[in-house]
Amino acid sequence: MIQSQEPSTRRRRLIVVGAAVAVLATAGVVVALLRSAPDLPRYDAHPVRAAPAAPQPVDIVIGEELFTTDGRRITLPTGAVLADRVPAGWIVRTYRGVDGGGLWLIAGDTVRELVADAADAADAVVAPDGRSVAFRQGNWITVAAVTGDGLAVRHRTRVDGTDLAQGRRGVILHGWVGDTLLLSHVNPSHAADDGDGLWDPATGDYDGTPQPFAALHGSDHVLLGTVQRDGRACLVAVRGSASKPTLGPPACGIDVMAHFEHAVSPDGRYVLGLGSGAGAPMRLYDVARGVPVADLPARQAEPVWLTADTVLTRAGDGQALLRVSTADPGHPVRIPLPEPAAGRWSLVARHGVPV
């Protein structure tokens, strides 16, 4: 039988009950760590289908094909929607409607399914160094190492409250802060149960934050979250430490909607995102000064930073890239796509792989 205990501070540690199971309950979050969780099923690798193509400034997914910086055109698994470049290759996320999604790995000349039943492929988050990934399957969160041969499970944690029939969504994975994960627990039927915090998979420690209600992926050890200050949404830097998460000073002159995965520049100085008002443009902000730098003829899409000074995003007509320099953001450079895009396409973020 699993029992839980409620320590008096917001910082919690998983409490061992018996030899195999530990439980944590805090700020509406209930997680149980199964210390002897079985490994994931191992799927066979298959030859990847690829053809030569013109090299691109960044890897691009168009339909179910990947156009790469080294001049390849790779056929992706059916239902591919997003990809991430990692040292081992590419992690590809697929979506199958009500059946959820999956994760795949393209490494060298092979493609291998990693997870066949991820609850939501878009909910998977790759670590900044590209050597770990966290994802959700039903009421389980798994953290696994990424190698050229697939995944090796490091930690697996059960999270209560994912029964959609009862209006609970359970935990949302926002991203990594160093070696910890920023999580949100959402219960639409009882907002008082909502909470946010940093969870360390290795130790089970969970540190509550003053509830940033959204997050933008930043550099290796920082995320930007949004918090309410005097009725305004303000951006704050969320950093992990050995003792507790820390929040930087709020920047309240930024009305960007915080939902783009890679909107923050590597040095945390700039953020590119969609304004929160109706018909708002894509806008580049200086986070330190809390002011807009430039409005861009761009379309709502995940941006990708090549360097701390250069970002790529999607042109307003959806048929080209825009390369924006922070030194001259008023004059973005238009770069044609490798082929016309009739439907969805996306840029591929890089994790632990230099440009």
Side-chain angles (χ1 to χ4, degrees), residues 4 6 24 40 45 65 67 81 83 116 128 131 134 136 152 164 174-176 188 220 222 225 234 237 325 331:
S4 65
E6 183 67 19
L24 164 69
L40 293 170
E65 291 186 307
F67 294 82
V81 291
R131 301 186 186 281
R136 187 165 57 86
L164 298 180
H174 285 303
W176 293 82
D220 287 357
V222 63
C234 305
S325 167
H331 297 88

Side-chain angles (χ1 to χ4, degrees), residues 80 141 154 159 214 311:
I141 293 175
R154 289 176 173 169
V159 182
V311 62

Side-chain angles (χ1 to χ4, degrees), residues 249-335:
C252 298
I254 300 177
D255 64 350
V256 65
M257 294 175 63
H259 60 224
F260 292 124
E261 280 197 25
H262 307 288
V264 186
S265 63
D267 59 4
R269 179 176 177 182
Y270 295 98
V271 61
L272 178 64
L274 188 68
S276 58
M282 288 287 284
R283 183 170 287 169
L284 182 67
Y285 291 88
D286 184 315
V287 176
R289 294 188 295 144
V291 297
V293 175
D295 289 348
L296 303 173
R299 190 171 178 173
Q300 179 175 347
E302 302 285 358
V304 168
W305 288 84
L306 297 181
T307 67
D309 304 314
T310 306
V311 62
L312 291 176
T313 187
R314 185 171 178 166
D317 61 7
Q319 293 301 313
L321 308 179
L322 286 183
R323 185 172 61 214
V324 182
S325 167
T326 59
D328 187 16
H331 297 88
V333 176
R334 185 180 173 95
I335 303 172

Side-chain angles (χ1 to χ4, degrees), residues 26 46 93 95 131 140 164 280:
T26 179
H46 302 282
R93 313 180 207 186
Y95 177 67
R131 301 186 186 281
W140 286 91
L164 298 180

